Amino acid sequence: MSEGKTVDQLSERLEAVTTLEDKSRINSKKREGYLEWADYFMAVAFLSAERSKDPRTQVGACIVNSENKIVGIGYNGMPIGCSDDVMPWGREGDILDQKRLYVCHAELNAVLNKNSADVKGCSIYVALFPCNECAKVIIQSGIKEVIYFSDKYKEHVEFKASKKMMDFAGVTYRQYRPKQKQIVIDFSKIEATVKSH
């Protein structure tokens, strides 16, 4: 076999291997369009809110530790043992017939439903900026950061008090800015993907 032919064969083989490596590299790239952590955690908070029976306001919360692990979720609802069908959901009339005296807010439920020893140093993702009662729970539980979607009640005294307490306690808060316009869970698409694999 001539030396020229051997060099040509080696070049061809090297080119074939390089092409395979390139294809492998192309196929091993991570998927684009995946959820960023903040979008994921806020989506979990909003998905939790879908469990709320409140006809007017559905709020969810998601507590996350420093390792990006979810350690608690909650939504606004009646205390255990207090029937959703019997307890009041209105905001009008006699004070004893208003939901605000009875409903456990999403933040409180997320702290109470935690799956870890504590939530010290954690962040909480929540649909609405926390009221003063939830701010107390957040501070007392050791949560250090609040990421909220809406601050629509910012002019109400309860929410001004909430910010005042969090500022004193060193709890930071910031408004969530979504990276994606929408997150859709389409079970028919998921089913089709599962069947094709």
Side-chain angles (χ1 to χ4, degrees):
M1 191 182 274
S2 71
E3 193 173 301
K5 194 169 183 182
T6 307
V7 170
D8 287 344
Q9 286 175 334
L10 283 173
S11 292
E12 285 176 18
R13 290 195 62 163
L14 183 60
E15 189 176 316
V17 168
T18 304
T19 304
L20 284 173
E21 285 178 358
D22 289 343
K23 284 181 181 175
S24 175
R25 251 186 251 120
I26 289 168
N27 292 334
S28 68
K29 278 186 164 181
K30 68 181 178 184
R31 179 175 71 88
E32 293 183 15
Y34 60 89
L35 290 177
E36 298 284 332
W37 283 118
D39 286 344
Y40 173 63
F41 297 134
M42 191 58 81
V44 169
F46 276 101
L47 184 61
S48 298
E50 291 298 310
R51 285 283 309 141
S52 176
K53 316 304 185 305
D54 192 320
R56 183 176 170 151
T57 307
Q58 300 84 43
V59 180
C62 176
I63 302 173
V64 180
N65 71 14
S66 61
E67 298 174 336
N68 285 328
K69 293 181 181 171
I70 295 172
V71 295
I73 55 173
Y75 57 88
N76 58 315
M78 293 298 171
I80 294 170
C82 297
S83 173
D84 295 327
D85 297 320
V86 177
M87 298 301 290
W89 288 106
R91 294 168 36 143
E92 314 276 318
D94 185 73
I95 189 72
L96 285 174
D97 294 327
Q98 295 179 30
K99 69 178 181 178
R100 67 186 177 116
L101 292 182
Y102 308 105
V103 171
C104 294
H105 288 184
E107 300 92 329
L108 173 63
N109 277 328
V111 169
L112 292 174
N113 294 333
K114 70 185 181 300
N115 60 9
S116 62
D118 60 50
V119 291
K120 285 181 174 60
C122 289
S123 299
I124 187 167
Y125 289 77
V126 65
L128 290 176
F129 192 88
C131 70
N132 63 309
E133 293 300 321
C134 290
K136 294 175 196 175
V137 171
I138 287 166
I139 293 165
Q140 290 295 90
S141 67
I143 291 172
K144 288 297 178 195
E145 182 182 32
V146 174
I147 301 97
Y148 61 93
F149 186 79
S150 172
D151 194 10
K152 69 179 184 177
Y153 297 118
K154 64 183 171 193
E155 297 306 319
H156 295 214
V157 293
E158 298 93 331
F159 297 86
K160 288 180 179 182
S162 180
K163 287 179 180 153
K164 189 174 185 177
M165 285 187 286
M166 285 196 262
D167 288 342
F168 280 133
V171 175
T172 61
Y173 47 89
R174 61 184 165 89
Q175 191 161 22
Y176 163 75
R177 300 282 182 221
K179 297 266 193 285
Q180 298 192 20
K181 293 284 182 205
Q182 64 177 352
I183 297 170
V184 178
I185 299 173
D186 182 345
F187 287 111
S188 60
K189 182 180 172 185
I190 294 167
E191 188 175 6
T193 303
V194 171
K195 285 182 180 178
S196 70
H197 286 283

